[in-house]
Amino acid sequence: MVDDTFAAAALTYHRTPVPGKLEVVATKPLGNQRDLALAYSPGVAAACRAIVEDPAEASTLTARANLVGVVTNGTAVLGLGAIGPLASKPVMEGKAVLFKKFAGIDVFDIELAELDPERLIEIVGALEPTFGGINLEDIKAPECFIVERELRKRMNIPVFHDDQHGTAIIVNAAIYNALHLVDKKLEDVKVVCSGAGAAAIACLDLLVEQGARRENIFVSDIEGVVYAGRETLMDPWKARYAQETKARSLGEVIEDADVFLGLSAPNVLKAEMVARMARDPVILALANPEPEILPEEARAARPDAIIATGRSDYPNQVNNVLCFPFIFRGALDVGATEINEEMKIACVRALAELARSEVSEVVIQAYGGESAPFGREYLIPRPFDPRLILQIAPAVAEAAMKSGVATRPIKDLGAYRQQLNEFVFRSGLAMKPVFEQAKADPQRVFFAEGEAERVLRAVQAVVDEGLARPIICGRPKVVEDRIERLGLRIRIDEDFELVNPLSDPRYNDYWRLYHRLMERNGVSPDRARTVVRTDATVIGALAVRRGDADALICGVEGRYRDHLRHIENIIGKAGGVHDYSALSLLITAKGTFFIADTYVSDNPTAQELVEMTVYAAEAVQRFGITPKIALLSHSSFGSHQDSTAGKMREAVRMLHESRPDLEVEGEMHADAALSEDIRSRIFPNSRLKGAANLLIMPTLDAANISFNLLKVLGEGLSVGPLLLGTACPAHIATPSITARGVINLCAIAAVDARSRTECHPLPDLAPGADSA
């Protein structure tokens, strides 16, 4: 169940800054009268006449070829049931967002107040001129079978009921790989399925398509086993799996089963049933949020079991997002008239092969230097594996071409894969692998401004997501009162550690260490006591320096420079670093961009620019992104000879010599950095290919102004800033940061901490310090 705190956060997410999750954005400029004339009357007539002459031109002159309709009547919405079309709209908008983010596909969500299947077919069928494909969603069985079957006959575009076929594809990939692991053949195994709805029947149909024998498949539903002659709660789709058997319950048919497929209800599979399954049983318990059997219970009964669920907190999550964006991507890109069995099986095999394949360096970086090997706890890829679109979409497109349903065949699949690879960079999913890394090994993150509401809201999410082990600085009564007022569930000493600046037992150790570090900077013992009692950033920095915390987040309140001064005094720079720098991340509709230095170095030297670039490149790589670096200037490849241009030019020269592994170029204008076409015209021998994603600025003014302009004009999501060059992980937020921003910064700090082997050793306390 969703708790009240999370529900409130979800409502806020949907309401602000504007209601809903979607908007329509123009893809062409409308900046003058000529643009208007081209976009509408009279210019639009030329496009209309071209489509009249050749209807295929609609794919080149309109957005239809990249537009999917997500259609529902709200009769079977998630676990909510028949809540109706209006209440289903948030779900359909969510589906649209996933299509866009994961595969770059535009969506109109369509919620229809129509229960009659025949009328529903008429309405959806009439939409064919609008869309390149139809994704049917949350329509109850058995009507969903009828609607999809008739629409596939009637429409000359892909019609795909994701609840059926998306689930079927992921399930089949998991079973395919599980049987490979235990050396069993699909045609030989006994399959027992609990549930006989749309998803269950589709899973079984696809298993049969791949070679499973119908006589080896047993189905049980709320009425018991589906047997030959049963009349209660039967339909033609379920009847295909009726067996000549005397068994009438799940417990009776489970004997010696190789595969259990659950798409039904919680706790229907008992441990004693699992114990009676065949060797190395494959159990897919997919009821959500409570599966048919919990993995730990199944494993206790059968340690040799291979288990998958629909939940993200267990290995082998069966999640439709592994499939539907990418199968539509491949289908749309070849103008497929349908999504046929060949395309579904191609998707199954692509998913299975991806799980077995050697993990690329990009994926290893994305998951914090770790790669789950193919095996019992890694049957299918993770939902945020950046290779999914690269593997599935071409396989589906190729299957469509080979099976004869592609109207726009792709001539060069290699070039097509490269286009998809460029989309992965632009998709704005930069924080997903960071969250995965943080959750894999939660670190102790110290929040200096622990009484701030934004921080407390963020800590609740950090605890819920398992991103870190929070330590917050604050007065207990204030923290408790604000937690209660905000309706949060986190509790002191249960969900987070509290450092009370007024009475923490480590106070004496902290102020003595601070005095030891600062005594030659005019700080007396009395001053040290006062500072450590009153300044949370000092406390947090000391905690990190002592090893009581792994990373520090501060800056939610106060001036950036004041926080930086404390970090400099207590944590200090990493070995060999001349100066700190700040890296800011901006996620926009045009892509993901990193900009440095936005907050620290006023006018960095060439040497400092080199250091900044190297540290920034390492930070970018922790996002699973290959850095493409441009050093920006008012000068373009030597067009100006002043000192500012000269230092950028010198920094590029030094980087080419010292770090030939980095893809870096400059000095150049910003438009050349972002456009290979512009760059190739003025400097064809550039070492930078494609668009830059890491922009190194000549001065603090240039970086900060550019970043804030892009943030507002590009309507981008900002992350950071990330403080680079510290001896231990410490990041300074800005007062404008939101709770969401604090969560992002926490994940980055946790990943930063994971990548560090050690911080500065503690200095020995001076003789007599204990009595100071």
Side-chain angles (χ1 to χ4, degrees), residues 175-197:
I175 292 175
Y176 183 87
N177 273 349
L179 295 180
H180 172 82
L181 279 172
V182 299
D183 195 26
K184 294 182 182 182
K185 294 181 179 179
L186 184 59
E187 58 266 29
D188 297 334
V189 298
K190 177 181 177 180
V191 178
V192 173
C193 180
S194 174

Side-chain angles (χ1 to χ4, degrees), residues 17 304 315 497 514:
D304 59 338
E497 178 185 342
Y514 183 65

